[in-house]
Amino acid sequence: MANPSHLSNRVSSIDVSGIRRAFQLGANLENPINLSIGQPDFPVPEVMKEAAIDAIRSDLNGYTLTTGHPQLLDAISTHLENDINWNCSTDQLDLMITSGTSGALLLSFMAMLNPGDEAVIADPYFVVYPTLGPMTGASIVYCDTYPDFRMTAERVEPCLTDRTKLVLVNSPANPTGVILTDKELQDLVDLCSSRDILLVSDEIYDLFTYPDHLDSAGRCPSPARHTQDMLLIRGFGKNYGCTGWRLGYAAGPSWLIAEMAKLQQYTFVCAPSMAQAGATRSFGIDMSPQISEYHARSRMIHEALGDMTTVSSTGGAFYAFIEVPAELDCSGTEFCERAIERNLILIPGDVFSQRDTHVRISYACDQAKLAEGLDIMRDMMS
Ligand code: PMP
C-alpha cells in the first residue's frame, strides 16, 4: 500500500502552514476587504492578449525551444541591451526564458547548490526563498534587515562563510516594497565578487519603481548595471498583470545558463508557448498609468498610517510592510485575526519572516477597498 510515511524529507521540511493559515483566515468572509493578493488588479494589455490568442489560433501550440522562443529571446536581448547594457549573445553571457520567475529561481538554486552549501536571503523574504533550501539540500541563511529592510553589504557580510555560494537579493522587494540604492547594490556586487559568491538578483517588480527611487538615468537600480558576473532574474507576471501565464527569464554567465537550461529541459521543458508569444509584444507598452496609480496608493498608506506606526519605505512593487504598534501588545498574526473580525484580510509578517511583528498589505486592489481597509487599520491602531 502507498505509505505517506515514505514521503521525502524534502516535502516534510517545507512548511506551508503560514500561507495556509493566512488564506484560511479569510476563507469564510463574504465580500471581504482583501489586501492580501500579490498580483496586479489591472488587465493584461490588449496587444499581449491578442498576440497570445493569435499564436493559439495559428496552431503555434507545440513545445518551444527549451531556452525559449527565438522571437521573445530577441526582444528580451534588445531590452537588456537598452536597459542594462548587456549583450547576451556573446560567449560569456546568455539568456533563457523560464516557467515563471519561480522557475528561474529554482533552476538557479538547483544548478548552484549542493547539500551543505549556504545561500543568503534577506529576512523578510518572498515566501518561496526559504523552500529553495529543502529543495536543493542547501542551508538558507537569513540576513536580518529589520527595521529598514535594506539588504546592505554590511548586513550580508557577517552571514557569509566558507560554504556560502550564493546571495539572493530582491529589489523592489516583496513583502516590503523597499528598493535598494545604486550604491547599496554596487556594494553587494563588490562584496560577492571579492568572495567568489554568485549574486542572484530577483527583479520581478522592476517596472514598478516609483520616480523618486529611479537611478540618475531614470531606471530601476540594479546590480546588473555594475557587473555581468551575476544572475539576473526578471519576469512578466507582475509587470503586465499576467501571473497565470507563468513567464520569467534569467540572464547571466553562459556556463550557468547552460546548466539551468539542461535542468529546464528535464523538468519544465519550456515556458508556455502562447504566453511567450504574448510577452513578445510587451516591450514598449506604456505602463506608466498603472505605475502612477500604484504610486498614489502607496502614498495613501503612508498618509493613513504613517503617524500611527512604522510603514516600510515603499519605493515600488505593490506591498507595504507595517509594524504592529507595540502598545497593542499583539503579534502580526493576532493583528490579522482581529482584522478578520472586521472583514479585512491582511497577511501576518511571520509568513515572510522569522519574526511576527508586522503585517503585509498588498495595494494591488481597488482603491476604494484600500481606503476602507486603511480606515479599519487606523481604527484598530488607535
Ligand atoms: N519573486 C518575487 C519577489 C515574487 O514576489 C514572486 C511572486 N509573488 C515571484 C518571484 C514569483 O513570480 P512568478 O509568478 O513569475 O513565478
Side-chain angles (χ1 to χ4, degrees):
M1 210 166 73
N3 184 342
S5 72
H6 291 176
L7 281 166
S8 69
N9 296 339
R10 182 176 305 112
V11 290
S12 50
S13 58
I14 294 175
D15 180 18
V16 293
S17 57
I19 302 283
R20 203 181 303 130
R21 185 167 34 82
F23 283 115
Q24 272 166 358
L25 277 174
N28 301 322
L29 298 183
E30 254 180 56
N31 194 20
I33 301 160
N34 192 344
L35 305 188
S36 76
I37 298 176
Q39 63 180 345
D41 64 327
F42 52 80
V44 178
E46 277 309 315
V47 285
M48 292 176 65
K49 288 185 194 167
E50 289 302 331
I53 292 165
D54 277 356
I56 292 175
R57 293 228 167 95
S58 312
D59 295 322
L60 298 173
N61 295 300
Y63 299 124
T64 67
L65 294 174
T66 288
T67 50
H69 194 291
Q71 239 178 307
L72 180 55
L73 284 168
D74 273 356
I76 298 172
S77 270
T78 306
H79 172 69
L80 291 182
E81 192 138 11
N82 294 334
D83 187 40
I84 54 169
N85 204 19
W86 279 24
N87 176 354
C88 287
S89 33
T90 61
D91 285 348
Q92 284 79 43
L93 274 182
D94 211 345
L95 166 67
M96 68 183 287
I97 296 158
T98 55
S99 263
T101 310
S102 308
L105 287 165
L106 178 62
L107 294 176
S108 64
F109 272 62
M110 284 176 71
M112 288 298 296
L113 299 171
N114 287 318
D117 290 340
E118 291 174 1
V120 180
I121 66 168
D123 178 350
Y125 40 75
F126 165 47
V127 288
V128 162
Y129 294 169
T131 70
L132 296 169
M135 299 246 206
T136 56
S139 301
I140 299 296
V141 176
Y142 297 95
C143 172
D144 187 333
T145 65
Y146 286 81
D148 58 8
F149 312 121
R150 312 197 73 80
M151 193 195 200
T152 58
E154 294 72 44
R155 285 175 175 158
V156 171
E157 215 267 341
C159 302
L160 304 180
T161 73
D162 292 346
R163 284 168 296 168
T164 314
K165 273 203 181 154
L166 187 157
V167 169
L168 174 56
V169 62
N170 171 222
S171 169
N174 180 5
T176 61
V178 166
I179 296 190
L180 297 181
T181 63
D182 204 42
K183 170 76 171 70
E184 287 169 327
L185 291 165
Q186 164 90 69
D187 289 347
L188 273 182
V189 166
D190 292 346
L191 175 65
C192 290
S193 145
S194 72
R195 303 283 284 259
D196 263 352
I197 291 168
L198 177 73
L199 181 63
V200 179
S201 183
D202 176 350
E203 300 179 11
I204 186 170
Y205 299 98
D206 68 323
L207 211 53
F208 281 78
T209 301
Y210 304 139
D212 38 349
H213 291 263
L214 295 168
D215 69 9
S216 51
R219 299 164 311 194
C220 172
S222 167
R225 301 187 202 289
H226 302 289
T227 183
Q228 301 190 339
D229 193 18
M230 57 161 283
L231 187 72
L232 173 70
I233 295 180
R234 287 184 178 176
F236 295 91
K238 310 283 180 173
N239 286 349
Y240 300 102
C242 57
T243 49
W245 284 13
R246 311 306 310 130
L247 211 56
Y249 61 91
S254 303
W255 53 264
L256 176 55
I257 298 293
E259 297 308 324
M260 288 170 62
K262 189 164 85 185
L263 293 170
Q264 173 145 284
Q265 188 165 352
Y266 292 106
T267 51
F268 303 101
V269 182
C270 64
S273 57
M274 76 296 290
Q276 293 190 57
T280 305
R281 301 294 304 277
S282 64
F283 298 101
I285 296 177
D286 179 15
M287 299 300 287
S288 54
Q290 289 88 336
I291 298 167
S292 302
E293 167 66 26
Y294 280 18
H295 190 195
R297 291 184 202 170
S298 88
R299 284 194 298 260
M300 276 172 68
I301 297 171
H302 288 274
E303 277 156 25
L305 303 178
D307 62 338
M308 315 285 291
T309 186
T310 312
V311 178
S312 59
S313 151
T314 51
F318 34 74
Y319 308 109
F321 209 49
I322 296 159
E323 187 167 11
V324 178
E327 311 81 80
L328 297 189
D329 197 25
C330 78
S331 65
T333 301
E334 284 158 348
F335 189 85
C336 290
E337 284 162 359
R338 291 182 199 173
I340 286 293
E341 286 165 17
R342 305 192 52 176
N343 217 29
L344 169 65
I345 309 180
L346 311 167
I347 305 201
D350 69 340
V351 167
F352 312 95
S353 176
Q354 308 290 298
R355 303 195 199 180
D356 192 14
T357 50
H358 288 63
V359 296
R360 188 192 81 172
I361 282 187
S362 162
Y363 50 90
C365 65
D366 179 72
Q367 190 160 327
K369 285 271 182 195
L370 175 63
E372 260 185 84
L374 292 172
D375 277 349
I376 294 173
M377 288 180 77
R378 219 182 137 76
D379 197 45
M380 287 171 69
M381 288 180 184
S382 33

